[in-house]
Every structure is written in C-alpha cells, then in structure tokens.
Amino acid sequence: MNHKWLIILLGALLLSACTSKIYYWGSYENTLYRYNKEPNEANLSKHKAELEMIINKSSKGKRRVPPGIYFELGMIEARLGNIARSIELLNLEKAQFPEAEVVVNNTIARLEASS
Amino acid sequence: MKRIVFILVFIICLSACQSTGVTKQQAFPKVYNERPQSILVLPAINKTTAADAASLYSTTIAQPLAEAGYYVFSIPYIDAYFANEGIIDGAQLSEIPASRYKELFGADSVLFVHINQWDTNYYVLGGNVTVGATFQLVSTRTGQILWQYHDTVVNDTSSDSGNLLIDMISTALTTSVVDYVPIARTVSQQIVRTLPVGHYHKNFNKDQGEVGVSEKSSHDRP
C-alpha cells in the first residue's frame, strides 16, 4: 500500500515534467537538419511533408502548431510557384501569432509584386 | 507513511534548488522590464573552423525558444532572407542597429548566437566531441542586451576495454561518427533554460525567483 502511494506520486511528478510542451513538433528538427546538411529536392520534399504532418496532427491533438511552421511551409510553396497557397499559409501564421503581422504583411506584398 | 512522502517531496525540492546561483530576476532584470514577445534569431556567428556548424546548429534553436513561450520567427526563412542579401554569418550584421529588425520584421528582440566550439579532440587514450555557444538577446527598442548566457557540452567518446590498442581504435571510430547535433541540442536547451519565459508559457511573469542561473556564467562575456 505504501509503495503504491510512492509510485503514484513519482509517476505524477515525472508526468508533470513531461507534459509541459506547448507545441507539437513531430520530427521537425531531424528533417530540417537533413535538408540543411544535404539541400536536395528529396530532402526538401521530406521536410515539406513533415511540416504538413505537423499542421494536420496539431489540428487534431491538444498541442498547437509551433511558431514559424505555417510560415516556413508557405515559403516552400512560394518557391514551388503556388502563390495562392503560400499567401493562405502566411495568413494562418498571422492569425495564430499576431507577432508575425509585420513580417507576414511585408512578405505577402513582395509575393504579390513578383507574381 | 506521511513522513516518507514529506521527505521525498523535500528531497525533490532540494534537488531542484541545489544549483547555487542567482535568481532570474537578479540576473536578467531587463527581460522582466521589457517583456519581449518575439525573438528573431540571426544567422549564427561562427567562431569555429567547421564551415557547416552554423547551418546545422540553427536547427536546434527554434524548439527550446518557442517552448519557453516566445514567438520565434521562422529560422530557415530568416537565414534565406539574409543569404539573399549576401549575409551568411551573423558577424556581418554587427553594424546594423537593432531597431532595423523591428521595422523589417516586427521583432521585439534579436538573438545573436555565437558558436564558440564545434570540435573533435583526440588524445592518446581517449577523445571527445565539444560544442559550446553563447546566446545574446538584444532589444530592438533600446539596443541593449537583455539576456546572455553560454554553455559548453563535452561528449566523452573514450572507450575503456582495458586493451590499449583496441581502445585507441574504438575511440577513433566512435569519435569520428559522433553527430554534433544532439550535443548542440543539449547546449541550446541548457542555455535557454536560464531565459525568463515568454508570454505563451504558463509561468510567464512568475519565474523571477527561479534559481538556475550559475553566477559565473551569467557574468562571463562571450
């Protein structure tokens, strides 16, 4: 009985230490690292797929999309010529994070001027 | 029974507080005065001979800063933006007034990351991989340094089988394949742990009394 108590207490402490994350990251660091190390099309599409996965999973789970993820995917879409989708993603970044307002507005203005 | 629980809780509290040092409020009052909400991470200032250190290191920075409650501007985008301007090392930006980043990106603060060490060392009976960095947060409103901290992590790659020759070969092999990035990740996490948390964190404006800043490091210059 006593031991059970202790285990529950320790478990609760460990759990509280592990659930402090605000955002869902998936394998973001790994796919970005691989792309930075070898910037080729295959690694870019893997990283892009990871960004899309993070956005999809976050919308279902409790954790939010991390700052910069919509933006990063938006810039990849712009590079691929998908300007409308890019602007949509940049606006999602701004909607979730008001801190991004200036950079999103400036970037959209540049995208619209060049397209 | 109650006593055991009490002692246990006491030990946990003690272990959390044992790192002797100053509180976050004492070490970094300017962060609490200004309360920046967003951080723009500039391309790293690479002081090492490893050319790829900056681009690899940069992948480990966004996550700890964001989880500390700050809005972090997309690091790949910022790197690409500056690369487009011909800037690949943060040292090239030292003359730019910090207020410029407020105008261009709307950033409350900019982070200078100095990579001090990114080395593999061999000695006769062992080896190690070392990553060291200094982070400096600068206000875009006042141009003042709000927070700075540095840390170094040494990953020992020595092996110890008792046979000198086998150890030498095994150490060389282990050292040569050790990936820097997990070590860099630890460095970033340890440094960011000393930063007062930002407004997306549940402890925002409640961590002034937290002790975890070693006095020595907080006063060292990069």
Side-chain angles (χ1 to χ4, degrees):
Chain A
M1 152 65 199
N2 282 1
H3 285 272
K4 206 184 258 175
W5 236 97
L6 279 177
I7 289 165
I8 291 171
L9 189 78
L10 276 176
L13 278 167
L14 283 174
L15 215 67
S16 69
C18 302
T19 52
S20 60
K21 283 201 159 181
I22 309 172
Y23 305 107
Y24 176 74
W25 294 90
S27 306
Y28 174 78
E29 283 192 357
N30 291 327
T31 54
L32 177 62
Y33 165 64
R34 259 176 253 141
Y35 176 64
N36 280 5
K37 196 159 188 172
E38 283 175 72
N40 55 40
E41 287 308 309
N43 283 340
L44 179 65
S45 69
K46 270 184 209 149
H47 185 54
K48 179 170 180 275
E50 187 62 30
L51 294 173
E52 281 159 351
M53 202 274 291
I54 290 170
I55 292 169
N56 287 336
K57 276 215 170 174
S58 308
S59 63
K60 287 176 198 135
K62 284 177 194 155
R63 289 189 196 155
R64 305 170 63 195
V65 178
I69 297 293
Y70 286 120
F71 199 103
E72 192 175 337
L73 184 58
M75 295 321 287
I76 294 174
E77 293 287 6
R79 242 182 72 181
L80 299 172
N82 308 324
I83 303 299
R85 173 71 179 144
S86 170
I87 291 173
E88 189 187 338
L89 286 160
L90 293 177
N91 279 322
L92 282 169
E93 177 85 19
K94 186 168 75 172
Q96 197 189 333
F97 298 103
E99 297 89 344
E101 189 178 351
V102 174
V103 70
V104 164
N105 292 350
N106 288 351
T107 310
I108 289 177
R110 262 202 309 277
L111 284 174
E112 283 172 341
S114 66
S115 65
Chain B
M1 175 56 213
K2 259 188 184 167
R3 187 179 284 177
I4 296 176
V5 173
F6 187 78
I7 291 170
L8 194 77
V9 169
F10 185 73
I11 290 170
I12 290 167
C13 288
L14 212 68
S15 68
C17 308
Q18 65 159 352
S19 56
T20 51
V22 292
T23 63
K24 287 185 171 182
Q25 168 73 50
Q26 287 167 323
F28 312 116
K30 286 176 190 162
V31 180
Y32 293 102
N33 291 341
E34 193 159 323
R35 289 180 201 155
Q37 301 193 338
S38 60
I39 298 177
L40 184 119
V41 181
L42 295 173
I45 299 168
N46 188 2
K47 295 174 176 168
T48 74
T49 53
D52 60 349
S55 77
L56 300 184
Y57 197 104
S58 73
T59 63
T60 70
I61 299 171
Q63 198 162 330
L65 285 178
E67 292 294 343
Y70 290 90
Y71 177 74
V72 184
F73 292 84
S74 164
I75 293 178
Y77 165 71
I78 298 298
D79 284 351
Y81 180 94
F82 285 115
N84 203 29
E85 307 280 323
I87 291 155
I88 47 161
D89 190 290
Q92 292 167 274
L93 295 166
S94 57
E95 300 299 314
I96 310 288
S99 58
R100 198 72 188 104
Y101 304 109
K102 184 114 201 149
E103 296 158 27
L104 284 172
F105 306 100
D108 291 345
S109 65
V110 284
L111 184 73
F112 289 90
V113 173
H114 305 250
I115 305 172
N116 305 323
Q117 274 180 289
W118 189 271
D119 318 303
T120 303
N121 302 301
Y122 295 101
Y123 41 98
V124 178
L125 287 179
N128 62 51
V129 174
T130 306
V131 174
T134 304
F135 285 20
Q136 249 177 342
L137 193 70
V138 174
S139 161
T140 57
R141 209 168 58 193
T142 62
Q144 283 189 315
I145 297 174
L146 300 175
W147 164 80
Q148 68 174 354
Y149 209 77
H150 74 100
D151 210 336
T152 304
V153 170
V154 181
N155 188 344
D156 192 356
T157 47
S158 309
S159 66
D160 187 18
S161 72
N163 179 315
L164 182 66
L165 186 64
I166 288 175
D167 280 353
M168 282 171 71
I169 294 167
S170 157
T171 297
L173 281 176
T174 322
T175 311
S176 66
V177 297
V178 164
D179 196 344
Y180 285 89
V181 170
I183 306 168
R185 194 171 293 158
T186 308
V187 174
S188 298
Q189 283 164 354
Q190 288 182 2
I191 294 176
V192 171
R193 207 169 290 153
T194 69
L195 174 68
V197 296
H199 74 303
Y200 286 117
H201 196 283
K202 61 182 191 310
N203 290 338
F204 175 58
N205 219 14
K206 289 181 202 153
D207 61 350
Q208 287 92 332
E210 226 173 79
V211 185
V213 182
S214 103
E215 193 138 18
K216 184 184 151 288
S217 303
S218 64
H219 292 280
D220 276 357
R221 302 293 302 182

